[in-house]
Amino acid sequence: MPFDPQAYRPERRILSLGEPFYDPVRAADFPETRPRFRNDRVAAEIGLERLDDAEWVAHLGRFVPLPGSLEEPLALRYHGHQFRSYNPDLGDGRGFTFAQLRDRAGRLLDLGTKGSGQTPWSRFGDGRLTLKGGVREVLASEMLEALGVPTSRSLSLIETGEALERNDEPSPTRAAVLVRLSHGHIRIGTFQRLAYHREEEAMRRLVRYVLAELYGEEGEDPVRLLELVVARTAVLAARYMAAGFVHGVLNSDNINVTGDSFDYGPWRFAPTWDPGFTAAYFDHAGLYAFGRQPEAILWDAMQLASSLRLIAESDPLVAALDRFAEAYQPAVAEALLWRMGRVTRHDESDRALVQEVERALRASGAGLDRFFFDVFAQDLPPSYGAEWDAVRAALADHAPRRTRDHAYWQGEPCAMLIDEVEAIWAPIAERDDWTAFEAKLTAIRQMAEALA
């Protein structure tokens, strides 16, 4: 048996939702399937690490059903606000959920795809993913996981032998199909669709599903659900800031109700603490700029609250939304202190340190990755001048949370700025050389060990 009997725990809980949540679909018939990335570390958590290459491709490239799980892929239906404009014509247009499994801790996980072919929601798209897009998603998810951001994780990337035409990169370009592992693929936009169609019974069914399957709580309380989502998304916003990450497209259809980040398109890591830094070239107004991400995520949570008014009173929903700020402030302090290698004290000294760090970073224009690397030591090195004295004083109130004896701290900071992403892709595009990509993954995982 190619599945680890101690870890392989198939599920099909999503079928309890029934209509109107998804459409059964079929995967594209790809000309070829060439494995490019196989995440056995993640596969071991769900019992798939024993698959040989042929079995891996069969299940994660040709989408032969995993035993005991879904018998056919499901393209999920949803709506959403895109750059604050409501769009009722959304849904999984180039992906689907094709399996559910539990990990060793018992969490329900979805195996979802990107680039797996057209669905009823593809509109005018070809349902495909560029190989470069797949490479970027692997890099983003690996880096974010290392930096403590709750995120989907890339399980598999398989090149599919198709030539794609795209307007935003040299074409024709290579195609791929990505499989990601996520704690559910229920979006705020999933709730918006039900509110739009006034489907009250389906809304109650979805609330029950999310509470039971994704939060481990029984009942049908929409206010409780909103409280949980507000708490999780506040943490997500805080972790984005500490990671220096800019998602780029924080539309309500891209916000998972579990607070796990996913769907990486025009992402970037900010080189400095610049609140106006944007990732998407089409975000002309800076709606999803680095410093506006907490506001954007709260706005999306407000759309969930608005949708839940179909089955709940307004006042308790508003009260639940008001908890975002009180959840965000300690979460951002904890996230920044974690990245700086300091113990959180859960008092005013945390906030004082964060304020001094943000002030110094903005005033100095210091590189974020360099700063967080250097500050993991007990004191900032002398190269940080007198303008950093207030940070040094605030750091004195926070003990180091671990030693700096890992080999990672003897080298250079691991970063993922846009120039390096392009440098990793260039040899793949030019001569099918994956050396830089594989070396980067090794470096990211070394950093993760040092930070953990």
Side-chain angles (χ1 to χ4, degrees):
M1 179 179 179
F3 304 101
D4 181 351
Q6 301 301 315
Y8 183 70
R9 301 171 59 188
E11 286 281 6
R12 52 178 72 184
R13 297 300 303 154
I14 196 170
L15 296 179
S16 67
L17 287 173
E19 291 290 333
F21 291 95
Y22 48 71
D23 295 277
V25 294
R26 300 180 67 177
D29 184 14
F30 300 119
E32 62 181 66
T33 44
R34 301 179 62 191
R36 293 304 193 177
F37 170 73
R38 171 175 171 150
N39 195 336
D40 281 319
R41 179 173 59 97
V42 170
E45 297 179 18
I46 52 175
L48 300 185
E49 79 279 11
R50 296 185 182 181
L51 298 179
D52 62 27
D53 288 345
E55 293 163 338
W56 186 273
V57 166
H59 291 297
L60 304 178
R62 299 295 181 186
F63 302 105
V64 174
L66 289 168
S69 191
L70 302 180
E71 296 178 356
E72 56 188 348
L74 305 175
L76 304 185
R77 302 176 184 179
Y78 48 84
H79 289 182
H81 278 87
Q82 298 187 307
F83 288 84
R84 304 284 167 91
S85 295
Y86 194 77
N87 189 342
D89 297 318
L90 299 177
D92 282 340
R94 58 171 174 167
F96 48 61
T97 297
F98 77 94
Q100 288 190 305
L101 302 168
R102 292 197 185 273
D103 66 11
R104 292 176 183 269
R107 286 198 319 159
L108 182 67
L109 300 171
D110 289 354
L111 271 68
T113 65
K114 196 171 185 178
S116 49
Q118 291 180 313
T119 78
W121 306 104
S122 298
R123 291 176 287 173
F124 301 107
D126 60 13
R128 303 309 202 258
L129 171 70
T130 68
L131 181 61
K132 183 178 183 181
V135 166
R136 284 172 49 85
E137 180 131 351
V138 172
L139 292 173
S141 60
E142 290 277 323
M143 191 72 173
L144 289 174
E145 182 185 2
L147 291 174
V149 176
T151 178
S152 64
R153 291 181 292 170
S154 299
L155 177 63
S156 172
L157 182 66
I158 294 175
E159 190 168 359
T160 59
E162 296 175 301
L164 304 179
E165 295 292 334
R166 291 293 185 267
N167 296 324
D168 55 354
E169 62 179 286
S171 294
T173 190
R174 293 150 72 179
V177 62
L178 175 88
V179 175
R180 63 183 176 222
L181 195 66
S182 183
H183 187 35
H185 278 88
I186 305 298
R187 311 152 191 259
I188 287 175
T190 312
F191 288 83
Q192 289 180 280
R193 184 179 188 277
L194 300 179
Y196 181 89
H197 290 295
R198 309 296 298 174
E199 298 189 48
E200 182 175 336
E201 192 282 326
M203 181 75 80
R204 295 185 186 280
R205 199 186 325 158
L206 182 59
V207 169
R208 289 196 301 270
Y209 177 87
V210 173
L211 284 173
E213 305 298 344
L214 304 182
Y215 281 101
E217 296 193 7
E218 296 302 320
E220 192 184 280
D221 185 350
V223 176
R224 176 58 180 159
L225 174 61
L226 182 61
E227 290 172 349
L228 292 167
V229 174
V230 164
R232 289 277 187 92
T233 53
V235 169
L236 174 62
R239 299 285 178 87
Y240 275 172
M241 299 305 291
F245 181 71
V246 186
H247 184 284
V249 189
L250 290 175
N251 296 328
S252 60
D253 59 298
N254 285 339
I255 302 295
N256 190 326
V257 294
T258 61
D260 287 354
S261 178
F262 77 116
D263 205 11
Y264 302 112
W267 61 267
R268 289 197 185 188
F269 283 88
T272 63
W273 195 275
D274 175 7
F277 180 82
T278 58
Y281 66 87
F282 45 82
D283 187 4
H284 304 296
L287 182 64
Y288 299 142
F290 175 52
R292 295 185 67 183
Q293 291 183 118
E295 167 203 334
I297 291 173
L298 172 57
W299 192 92
D300 288 327
M302 291 169 62
Q303 308 320 302
L304 174 59
S306 178
S307 299
L308 290 172
R309 287 182 60 195
L310 182 66
I311 58 171
E313 297 296 323
S314 295
D315 288 349
L317 293 172
V318 171
L321 283 173
D322 288 343
R323 297 184 181 182
F324 186 93
E326 64 185 61
Y328 173 77
Q329 292 300 334
V332 76
E334 184 174 353
L336 285 166
L337 284 160
W338 178 86
R339 194 173 179 194
M340 290 188 286
R342 302 296 158 142
V343 174
T344 306
R345 294 183 52 173
H346 304 289
D347 60 23
E348 187 57 32
S349 67
D350 292 347
R351 182 171 182 144
L353 176 55
V354 168
Q355 288 176 335
E356 290 300 337
V357 166
E358 290 185 0
R359 178 199 58 77
L361 285 171
R362 290 189 66 173
S364 67
L368 290 184
D369 298 295
R370 180 85 255 173
F371 164 75
F372 284 115
F373 184 89
D374 292 340
V375 81
F376 210 97
Q378 290 195 18
D379 297 296
L380 285 172
S383 57
Y384 291 80
E387 68 271 25
W388 290 86
D389 285 347
V391 174
R392 291 189 176 92
L395 282 169
D397 292 330
H398 293 80
R401 64 176 174 84
R402 63 171 299 174
T403 61
R404 195 177 178 176
D405 55 3
H406 192 282
Y408 171 74
W409 302 116
Q410 310 311 312
E412 290 294 312
C414 180
M416 190 69 75
L417 301 182
I418 188 62
D419 289 347
E420 183 171 5
V421 175
E422 294 297 328
I424 290 169
W425 169 249
I428 296 173
E430 294 166 5
R431 54 187 182 277
D432 205 31
D433 181 353
W434 293 76
T435 306
F437 173 76
E438 292 162 357
K440 192 63 182 182
L441 294 181
T442 299
I444 292 170
R445 291 177 180 180
Q446 184 189 46
M447 178 182 71
E449 291 176 358
L451 287 171

